[in-house]
Amino acid sequence: MDLELEQLPQKAREKHAENKKFFSKLKKRPPKDLDYTMHELHHAEFEQTDCLACANCCKTTGPLFTNADIERIAKHFKLKPSEFIDRYLRVDEENDYVLQEVPCTFLSTDNYCSIYEVRPKACREFPHTDRKKFQQISNLTLKNVAICPAAFNIVEEMKKRIKM
């Protein structure tokens, strides 16, 4: 896994132009069964992917925290939302709440999430490869293939299955 993770950013850069072109076409003319296909590809990949062996998403990026996330996690810690924000979050350049630092504060050394049951929506849905109207998040997917080996594999399989 370490070698795969080490090579992932380079592999993603090599595929970037090809992926961008593919997603551009996909956005213009998404197949009727796109959501079904993505759901199928996502589940097939995650049957063989162990996120705990990787956790690269938690080590290299931080999720956006919605107000609902903040309320839920603050309650879990028995904190006021403002206290949770002060302790763990900052406002980024897009005016979103994000972690003050990465790797994620809540990531344990064994790659388990200490707030897994109440984790942010962005974490629950990552890498977003089974989202409805998948074609609408192509910019996000282009970023995620450089972070998540499973997302990279899903996109590669998607390009084989969906001819544009």
Side-chain angles (χ1 to χ4, degrees):
M1 176 58 80
D2 291 340
L3 183 61
E4 185 181 5
L5 276 179
E6 193 178 302
Q7 295 172 346
L8 187 62
Q10 179 61 34
K11 286 169 62 177
R13 275 192 298 277
E14 290 168 3
K15 297 281 187 173
H16 185 78
E18 175 185 312
N19 289 346
K20 196 169 180 176
K21 185 177 176 183
F22 178 83
F23 283 125
S24 177
K25 290 178 181 178
L26 189 69
K27 235 179 194 172
K28 290 177 187 163
R29 294 190 39 226
K32 281 187 279 186
D33 63 345
L34 179 62
D35 288 345
Y36 174 80
T37 301
M38 293 312 299
H39 184 78
E40 195 176 87
L41 292 173
H42 176 90
H43 287 282
E45 179 63 30
F46 281 98
E47 280 184 14
Q48 60 189 13
T49 297
D50 177 12
C51 292
L52 292 174
C54 177
N56 198 44
C57 51
C58 306
K59 293 173 183 173
T60 62
T61 62
L64 298 179
F65 285 74
T66 66
N67 288 332
D69 293 332
I70 293 167
E71 296 271 338
R72 183 178 61 257
I73 300 167
K75 184 178 178 184
H76 171 79
F77 284 121
K78 297 177 175 55
L79 296 172
K80 292 179 180 166
S82 60
E83 293 172 315
F84 176 78
I85 291 167
D86 290 346
R87 192 174 296 179
Y88 298 105
L89 306 180
R90 66 178 176 83
V91 177
D92 71 2
E93 51 284 339
E94 294 171 9
N95 230 21
D96 292 315
Y97 282 112
V98 296
L99 290 169
Q100 288 178 4
E101 57 189 45
V102 291
C104 179
T105 309
F106 308 112
L107 181 67
S108 304
T109 55
D110 59 3
N111 288 345
Y112 277 87
C113 175
S114 64
I115 60 166
Y116 188 80
E117 295 303 319
V118 294
R119 69 193 183 281
K121 181 178 185 233
C123 298
R124 283 194 308 269
E125 294 179 354
F126 191 85
H128 312 284
T129 47
D130 65 344
R131 226 161 99 170
K132 289 188 185 314
K133 299 183 181 173
F134 177 79
Q135 73 278 7
Q136 294 178 349
I137 61 160
S138 57
N139 288 344
L140 180 59
T141 303
L142 285 169
K143 290 178 186 170
N144 289 346
V145 297
I147 298 165
C148 176
F152 183 90
N153 293 340
I154 290 166
V155 169
E156 289 306 299
E157 191 59 35
M158 176 188 173
K159 291 184 300 189
K160 291 176 192 170
R161 294 254 307 261
I162 301 171
K163 300 300 176 201
M164 295 285 1

PDB file of all heavy atoms in Angstrom, residues 62-65 85 88-93 96-101:
ATOM      1  N   GLY A  62      -8.307  17.652   4.689  1.00  0.00           N
ATOM      2  CA  GLY A  62      -9.308  17.772   5.742  1.00  0.00           C
ATOM      3  C   GLY A  62     -10.674  18.004   5.127  1.00  0.00           C
ATOM      4  O   GLY A  62     -10.790  18.617   4.073  1.00  0.00           O
ATOM      5  N   PRO A  63     -11.697  17.515   5.789  1.00  0.00           N
ATOM      6  CA  PRO A  63     -13.048  17.693   5.269  1.00  0.00           C
ATOM      7  C   PRO A  63     -13.590  19.093   5.555  1.00  0.00           C
ATOM      8  O   PRO A  63     -13.067  19.809   6.413  1.00  0.00           O
ATOM      9  CB  PRO A  63     -13.849  16.660   6.060  1.00  0.00           C
ATOM     10  CG  PRO A  63     -13.162  16.639   7.396  1.00  0.00           C
ATOM     11  CD  PRO A  63     -11.689  16.777   7.055  1.00  0.00           C
ATOM     12  N   LEU A  64     -14.646  19.433   4.840  1.00  0.00           N
ATOM     13  CA  LEU A  64     -15.430  20.612   5.189  1.00  0.00           C
ATOM     14  C   LEU A  64     -16.355  20.203   6.323  1.00  0.00           C
ATOM     15  O   LEU A  64     -16.860  19.079   6.337  1.00  0.00           O
ATOM     16  CB  LEU A  64     -16.284  21.069   4.006  1.00  0.00           C
ATOM     17  CG  LEU A  64     -15.550  21.504   2.748  1.00  0.00           C
ATOM     18  CD1 LEU A  64     -16.561  21.904   1.678  1.00  0.00           C
ATOM     19  CD2 LEU A  64     -14.624  22.651   3.036  1.00  0.00           C
ATOM     20  N   PHE A  65     -16.587  21.086   7.242  1.00  0.00           N
ATOM     21  CA  PHE A  65     -17.508  20.830   8.348  1.00  0.00           C
ATOM     22  C   PHE A  65     -18.734  21.699   8.152  1.00  0.00           C
ATOM     23  O   PHE A  65     -18.626  22.928   8.122  1.00  0.00           O
ATOM     24  CB  PHE A  65     -16.861  21.171   9.691  1.00  0.00           C
ATOM     25  CG  PHE A  65     -15.849  20.167  10.163  1.00  0.00           C
ATOM     26  CD1 PHE A  65     -14.594  20.095   9.567  1.00  0.00           C
ATOM     27  CD2 PHE A  65     -16.143  19.307  11.197  1.00  0.00           C
ATOM     28  CE1 PHE A  65     -13.656  19.178  10.005  1.00  0.00           C
ATOM     29  CE2 PHE A  65     -15.202  18.368  11.640  1.00  0.00           C
ATOM     30  CZ  PHE A  65     -13.957  18.314  11.037  1.00  0.00           C
ATOM     31  N   ILE A  85     -15.390  24.776  17.486  1.00  0.00           N
ATOM     32  CA  ILE A  85     -14.785  25.551  16.394  1.00  0.00           C
ATOM     33  C   ILE A  85     -13.441  26.126  16.833  1.00  0.00           C
ATOM     34  O   ILE A  85     -12.440  25.983  16.130  1.00  0.00           O
ATOM     35  CB  ILE A  85     -15.741  26.664  15.908  1.00  0.00           C
ATOM     36  CG1 ILE A  85     -16.942  26.045  15.184  1.00  0.00           C
ATOM     37  CG2 ILE A  85     -15.010  27.661  15.011  1.00  0.00           C
ATOM     38  CD1 ILE A  85     -18.090  27.017  14.928  1.00  0.00           C
ATOM     39  N   TYR A  88     -10.752  23.186  17.207  1.00  0.00           N
ATOM     40  CA  TYR A  88     -10.369  22.292  16.115  1.00  0.00           C
ATOM     41  C   TYR A  88     -10.429  22.873  14.704  1.00  0.00           C
ATOM     42  O   TYR A  88      -9.802  22.320  13.799  1.00  0.00           O
ATOM     43  CB  TYR A  88     -11.265  21.039  16.121  1.00  0.00           C
ATOM     44  CG  TYR A  88     -11.148  20.218  17.371  1.00  0.00           C
ATOM     45  CD1 TYR A  88     -12.148  20.238  18.330  1.00  0.00           C
ATOM     46  CD2 TYR A  88     -10.025  19.420  17.596  1.00  0.00           C
ATOM     47  CE1 TYR A  88     -12.042  19.468  19.484  1.00  0.00           C
ATOM     48  CE2 TYR A  88      -9.916  18.653  18.749  1.00  0.00           C
ATOM     49  CZ  TYR A  88     -10.942  18.692  19.689  1.00  0.00           C
ATOM     50  OH  TYR A  88     -10.822  17.930  20.825  1.00  0.00           O
ATOM     51  N   LEU A  89     -11.178  23.946  14.495  1.00  0.00           N
ATOM     52  CA  LEU A  89     -11.442  24.388  13.128  1.00  0.00           C
ATOM     53  C   LEU A  89     -10.899  25.777  12.838  1.00  0.00           C
ATOM     54  O   LEU A  89     -10.535  26.524  13.730  1.00  0.00           O
ATOM     55  CB  LEU A  89     -12.956  24.363  12.857  1.00  0.00           C
ATOM     56  CG  LEU A  89     -13.679  23.052  13.121  1.00  0.00           C
ATOM     57  CD1 LEU A  89     -15.169  23.190  12.811  1.00  0.00           C
ATOM     58  CD2 LEU A  89     -13.066  21.918  12.328  1.00  0.00           C
ATOM     59  N   ARG A  90     -10.865  26.072  11.556  1.00  0.00           N
ATOM     60  CA  ARG A  90     -10.540  27.413  11.067  1.00  0.00           C
ATOM     61  C   ARG A  90     -11.426  27.663   9.848  1.00  0.00           C
ATOM     62  O   ARG A  90     -12.004  26.729   9.294  1.00  0.00           O
ATOM     63  CB  ARG A  90      -9.060  27.530  10.700  1.00  0.00           C
ATOM     64  CG  ARG A  90      -8.655  26.679   9.510  1.00  0.00           C
ATOM     65  CD  ARG A  90      -7.175  26.853   9.135  1.00  0.00           C
ATOM     66  NE  ARG A  90      -6.808  25.961   8.067  1.00  0.00           N
ATOM     67  CZ  ARG A  90      -7.006  26.190   6.766  1.00  0.00           C
ATOM     68  NH1 ARG A  90      -7.551  27.328   6.360  1.00  0.00           N
ATOM     69  NH2 ARG A  90      -6.646  25.309   5.853  1.00  0.00           N
ATOM     70  N   VAL A  91     -11.492  28.903   9.425  1.00  0.00           N
ATOM     71  CA  VAL A  91     -12.236  29.254   8.218  1.00  0.00           C
ATOM     72  C   VAL A  91     -11.234  29.364   7.080  1.00  0.00           C
ATOM     73  O   VAL A  91     -10.225  30.066   7.198  1.00  0.00           O
ATOM     74  CB  VAL A  91     -13.007  30.585   8.408  1.00  0.00           C
ATOM     75  CG1 VAL A  91     -13.716  30.989   7.121  1.00  0.00           C
ATOM     76  CG2 VAL A  91     -14.018  30.450   9.543  1.00  0.00           C
ATOM     77  N   ASP A  92     -11.494  28.638   5.979  1.00  0.00           N
ATOM     78  CA  ASP A  92     -10.559  28.665   4.849  1.00  0.00           C
ATOM     79  C   ASP A  92     -10.874  29.817   3.900  1.00  0.00           C
ATOM     80  O   ASP A  92     -11.764  30.646   4.154  1.00  0.00           O
ATOM     81  CB  ASP A  92     -10.531  27.309   4.118  1.00  0.00           C
ATOM     82  CG  ASP A  92     -11.795  27.007   3.318  1.00  0.00           C
ATOM     83  OD1 ASP A  92     -12.728  27.847   3.260  1.00  0.00           O
ATOM     84  OD2 ASP A  92     -11.856  25.906   2.732  1.00  0.00           O
ATOM     85  N   GLU A  93     -10.134  29.849   2.785  1.00  0.00           N
ATOM     86  CA  GLU A  93     -10.267  30.950   1.823  1.00  0.00           C
ATOM     87  C   GLU A  93     -11.627  30.977   1.120  1.00  0.00           C
ATOM     88  O   GLU A  93     -12.019  31.989   0.555  1.00  0.00           O
ATOM     89  CB  GLU A  93      -9.130  30.913   0.795  1.00  0.00           C
ATOM     90  CG  GLU A  93      -8.895  29.584   0.110  1.00  0.00           C
ATOM     91  CD  GLU A  93      -8.176  28.540   0.963  1.00  0.00           C
ATOM     92  OE1 GLU A  93      -7.495  28.893   1.940  1.00  0.00           O
ATOM     93  OE2 GLU A  93      -8.323  27.350   0.647  1.00  0.00           O
ATOM     94  N   ASP A  96     -15.274  28.313   4.388  1.00  0.00           N
ATOM     95  CA  ASP A  96     -15.785  27.057   4.935  1.00  0.00           C
ATOM     96  C   ASP A  96     -15.001  26.704   6.187  1.00  0.00           C
ATOM     97  O   ASP A  96     -13.821  27.039   6.315  1.00  0.00           O
ATOM     98  CB  ASP A  96     -15.614  25.915   3.916  1.00  0.00           C
ATOM     99  CG  ASP A  96     -16.488  26.079   2.699  1.00  0.00           C
ATOM    100  OD1 ASP A  96     -17.675  26.411   2.857  1.00  0.00           O
ATOM    101  OD2 ASP A  96     -15.976  25.867   1.578  1.00  0.00           O
ATOM    102  N   TYR A  97     -15.674  25.986   7.092  1.00  0.00           N
ATOM    103  CA  TYR A  97     -14.975  25.465   8.264  1.00  0.00           C
ATOM    104  C   TYR A  97     -14.198  24.221   7.857  1.00  0.00           C
ATOM    105  O   TYR A  97     -14.755  23.298   7.261  1.00  0.00           O
ATOM    106  CB  TYR A  97     -15.957  25.115   9.381  1.00  0.00           C
ATOM    107  CG  TYR A  97     -16.460  26.313  10.143  1.00  0.00           C
ATOM    108  CD1 TYR A  97     -17.780  26.712  10.057  1.00  0.00           C
ATOM    109  CD2 TYR A  97     -15.594  27.052  10.954  1.00  0.00           C
ATOM    110  CE1 TYR A  97     -18.244  27.816  10.757  1.00  0.00           C
ATOM    111  CE2 TYR A  97     -16.043  28.164  11.655  1.00  0.00           C
ATOM    112  CZ  TYR A  97     -17.376  28.536  11.552  1.00  0.00           C
ATOM    113  OH  TYR A  97     -17.813  29.631  12.244  1.00  0.00           O
ATOM    114  N   VAL A  98     -12.916  24.210   8.183  1.00  0.00           N
ATOM    115  CA  VAL A  98     -12.031  23.073   7.923  1.00  0.00           C
ATOM    116  C   VAL A  98     -11.162  22.860   9.159  1.00  0.00           C
ATOM    117  O   VAL A  98     -11.102  23.707  10.051  1.00  0.00           O
ATOM    118  CB  VAL A  98     -11.137  23.298   6.673  1.00  0.00           C
ATOM    119  CG1 VAL A  98     -11.986  23.412   5.407  1.00  0.00           C
ATOM    120  CG2 VAL A  98     -10.250  24.519   6.835  1.00  0.00           C
ATOM    121  N   LEU A  99     -10.469  21.733   9.201  1.00  0.00           N
ATOM    122  CA  LEU A  99      -9.571  21.452  10.316  1.00  0.00           C
ATOM    123  C   LEU A  99      -8.443  22.480  10.375  1.00  0.00           C
ATOM    124  O   LEU A  99      -7.984  22.963   9.338  1.00  0.00           O
ATOM    125  CB  LEU A  99      -8.955  20.063  10.163  1.00  0.00           C
ATOM    126  CG  LEU A  99      -9.897  18.891  10.349  1.00  0.00           C
ATOM    127  CD1 LEU A  99      -9.220  17.600   9.913  1.00  0.00           C
ATOM    128  CD2 LEU A  99     -10.357  18.786  11.793  1.00  0.00           C
ATOM    129  N   GLN A 100      -7.981  22.763  11.565  1.00  0.00           N
ATOM    130  CA  GLN A 100      -6.854  23.684  11.719  1.00  0.00           C
ATOM    131  C   GLN A 100      -5.581  23.095  11.129  1.00  0.00           C
ATOM    132  O   GLN A 100      -4.712  23.834  10.678  1.00  0.00           O
ATOM    133  CB  GLN A 100      -6.630  24.001  13.206  1.00  0.00           C
ATOM    134  CG  GLN A 100      -7.694  24.881  13.794  1.00  0.00           C
ATOM    135  CD  GLN A 100      -7.484  25.145  15.280  1.00  0.00           C
ATOM    136  OE1 GLN A 100      -6.489  24.719  15.871  1.00  0.00           O
ATOM    137  NE2 GLN A 100      -8.433  25.839  15.885  1.00  0.00           N
ATOM    138  N   GLU A 101      -5.488  21.771  11.144  1.00  0.00           N
ATOM    139  CA  GLU A 101      -4.267  21.131  10.638  1.00  0.00           C
ATOM    140  C   GLU A 101      -4.567  19.733  10.123  1.00  0.00           C
ATOM    141  O   GLU A 101      -5.584  19.133  10.477  1.00  0.00           O
ATOM    142  CB  GLU A 101      -3.205  21.069  11.738  1.00  0.00           C
ATOM    143  CG  GLU A 101      -3.681  20.343  12.982  1.00  0.00           C
ATOM    144  CD  GLU A 101      -2.722  20.472  14.147  1.00  0.00           C
ATOM    145  OE1 GLU A 101      -2.235  21.582  14.408  1.00  0.00           O
ATOM    146  OE2 GLU A 101      -2.471  19.430  14.793  1.00  0.00           O
TER     147      GLU A 101
END
